[in-house]
Amino acid sequence: MTAHADREGRTDAPGRIDAPSPSEASGPAGSADRAEVMGLAGAADRAEAAGRTGVWFIGARGSVATTATAGCAAIAAGLHPPTGMVTETPPFADSGLPALTDLVFGGHDTLDCPLSKRAEALADGGVLPHGLPSAVRAELDAADAEIRPGGPLPGDTRTDQELIAAFAADLTDFAHRHDLARTVVINVASTEPAPGPGDPRLPASSLYAAAALRAGCSYANFTPSTGLRTPALTDTVASSGLPHAGRDGKTGQTLLRSVLAPMFLQRALAVRAWSGSNLLGGGDGAALADPAAAAAKNAGKERVLADTFGTAPEGEVHIDDVPAMGDWKTAWDHIAFDGFLGSRMILQTIWQGCDSALAAPLVLDLARLLARAHEAGISGPLPELGFYFKDPDGGTSAALAEQYATLLTFAERLRDQA
């Protein structure tokens, strides 16, 4: 994932972010103004535009966004199966989700490495199949041309409101130029530390989230960063009429915890302690070397256990940056529990995988589900998408099986409204 530079020397305090006007909240597509602009277009052109959906990544040149962009192109071209994409399974077949061929990619980032080069580096590291970056070079270049400078970078003197306006203008321009029906903004940038009580500025993730709302875009935060979860955006979120989903994607260690913790609870086995360790490299490893960022990440891991058991068991999670591991990670859990008559037992698990390859299909799922929810007029937090998050919006069970059942019910709801 791509890190955003820290901001320094800022003195203006964050206040409540003004809600978008009705025309802004409804987005650039579907409004009377847009219909007038498209008046000269034929019915066929309008029908085609209605099916196109923008996917705007925050951290667009990072590993997750690059993998998702390249992977979508590969699946759409029939080069690879949609392994890991829940929305490509039979329960979602008739839910009216946008086709992968109708997704248009863009985003914000503070780095300038071309997507094609980033994809080649991922292929060299074994994340993407060899030859895939060349096979989807045109799609990567098209997405790269839609990436705009993020921020704020050191020396940027713009206020929070000026940054939000600039980011929202990028989104609106993207939608207008591609005649998009709607755009989904997904934060996949590196984890930022939680803001302190005296921080005079909104964190970068909240600036991007506010811009998404102002541009009439649905939003998902696949990172533990603040995003919409700030008092400055509470009123704006409530009045936006836009769907939003979760914080911190559930891809590996926590995914396993959301399966195992309910098992212990349902079998009446008393968990005495649950400890874990993570070894990872890449941009995420470097970002999480910051203790404050690691604390924000670990909060989500612990939340699953606390939500399941009512209180978090004894034990901690440690995260170690191991640059030599690149985009791969190893997660180890040690679970101490009591069995019948107080017999002491241990369960240990090891999860080894590539976080980008685990996250990318989930990110594509979320883009399609949020776009469809927006089209169906569903607004506000979507706890139905808790299946994908450590910290869902709207509250939901922490058990994966129950979250999956809720997701399938949501698919039925979308199908009924298709």
Side-chain angles (χ1 to χ4, degrees):
M1 298 183 186
T2 306
H4 284 69
D6 292 337
R7 290 155 291 128
E8 300 176 351
R10 304 192 178 277
T11 57
D12 49 331
R16 184 177 71 85
I17 302 301
D18 293 335
S21 66
S23 62
E24 290 174 319
S26 64
S31 67
D33 288 344
R34 184 173 181 273
E36 184 175 334
V37 170
M38 294 182 64
L40 297 179
D45 291 337
R46 288 195 296 272
E48 180 182 359
R52 303 178 72 189
T53 296
V55 181
W56 190 268
F57 288 129
I58 309 304
R61 291 193 169 107
S63 296
V64 173
T66 304
T67 303
T69 303
C72 182
I75 296 168
L79 301 177
H80 287 272
T83 305
M85 288 193 65
V86 180
T87 54
E88 283 293 297
T89 59
F92 297 85
D94 299 315
S95 296
L97 304 181
L100 294 176
T101 52
D102 290 328
L103 300 183
V104 183
F105 293 92
H108 282 115
D109 210 313
T110 57
L111 301 181
D112 57 8
C113 176
L115 278 183
S116 59
K117 293 294 185 184
R118 186 76 183 103
E120 290 170 2
L122 290 172
D124 289 341
V127 179
L128 297 178
H130 285 292
L132 182 62
S134 297
V136 297
R137 176 67 179 264
E139 290 85 350
L140 289 171
D141 288 345
D144 192 69
E146 297 299 337
I147 298 177
R148 300 293 178 261
L153 292 168
D156 191 335
T157 60
R158 288 176 292 178
T159 66
D160 285 352
Q161 286 288 355
E162 289 171 335
L163 287 162
I164 291 168
F167 297 154
D170 290 336
L171 283 161
T172 302
D173 176 65
F174 174 64
H176 282 169
R177 285 186 295 100
H178 290 282
D179 286 333
L180 302 177
R182 57 198 53 83
T183 300
V184 180
V185 175
I186 304 180
N187 182 15
V188 289
S190 292
T191 301
E192 64 187 13
D199 194 332
R201 299 297 302 269
L202 286 173
S205 63
S206 295
L207 300 177
Y208 292 120
L213 299 182
R214 184 168 297 186
C217 304
S218 53
Y219 175 84
N221 185 3
F222 209 71
T223 82
S225 301
T226 305
L228 294 177
R229 305 283 186 87
T230 172
L233 291 178
T234 300
D235 292 343
T236 306
V237 173
S239 63
S240 68
L242 295 163
H244 55 90
R247 182 168 67 169
D248 200 2
K250 185 165 55 185
T251 58
Q253 184 179 42
T254 310
L255 177 67
L256 194 56
R257 287 182 168 207
S258 68
V259 174
L260 292 176
M263 177 196 74
F264 284 107
L265 185 68
Q266 293 161 4
R267 293 296 296 268
L269 298 171
V271 173
R272 294 184 291 108
W274 198 315
S275 302
S277 181
N278 286 262
L279 307 176
L280 70 163
D284 214 21
L288 294 174
D290 180 344
K297 184 74 172 177
N298 285 339
K301 294 178 180 293
E302 298 296 342
R303 185 176 297 109
V304 170
L305 301 182
D307 288 349
T308 301
F309 297 125
T311 183
E314 176 186 330
E316 297 180 350
V317 177
H318 297 276
I319 299 177
D320 295 318
D321 178 26
V322 184
M325 296 185 69
D327 286 282
W328 298 81
K329 72 175 183 180
T330 296
W332 169 74
D333 270 15
H334 183 282
I335 309 161
F337 64 99
D338 288 341
F340 190 55
L341 304 179
S343 57
R344 297 293 181 91
M345 290 181 267
I346 298 291
L347 172 65
Q348 297 185 56
T349 67
I350 298 176
W351 179 288
Q352 294 178 302
C354 173
D355 211 33
S356 301
L358 291 165
L362 308 185
V363 166
L364 294 174
D365 278 351
L366 286 167
R368 303 174 81 192
L369 289 164
L370 280 164
R372 179 68 183 97
H374 193 183
E375 179 188 26
I378 300 171
S379 63
L382 294 182
E384 297 91 341
L385 302 186
F387 177 76
Y388 294 97
F389 294 99
K390 299 182 183 75
D391 187 8
D393 283 350
T396 182
S397 167
L400 189 71
E402 294 179 25
Q403 291 176 334
Y404 180 63
T406 301
L407 180 64
L408 294 185
T409 300
F410 186 60
E412 293 177 3
R413 178 183 177 186
L414 296 178
R415 183 164 55 250
D416 291 342
Q417 296 182 0

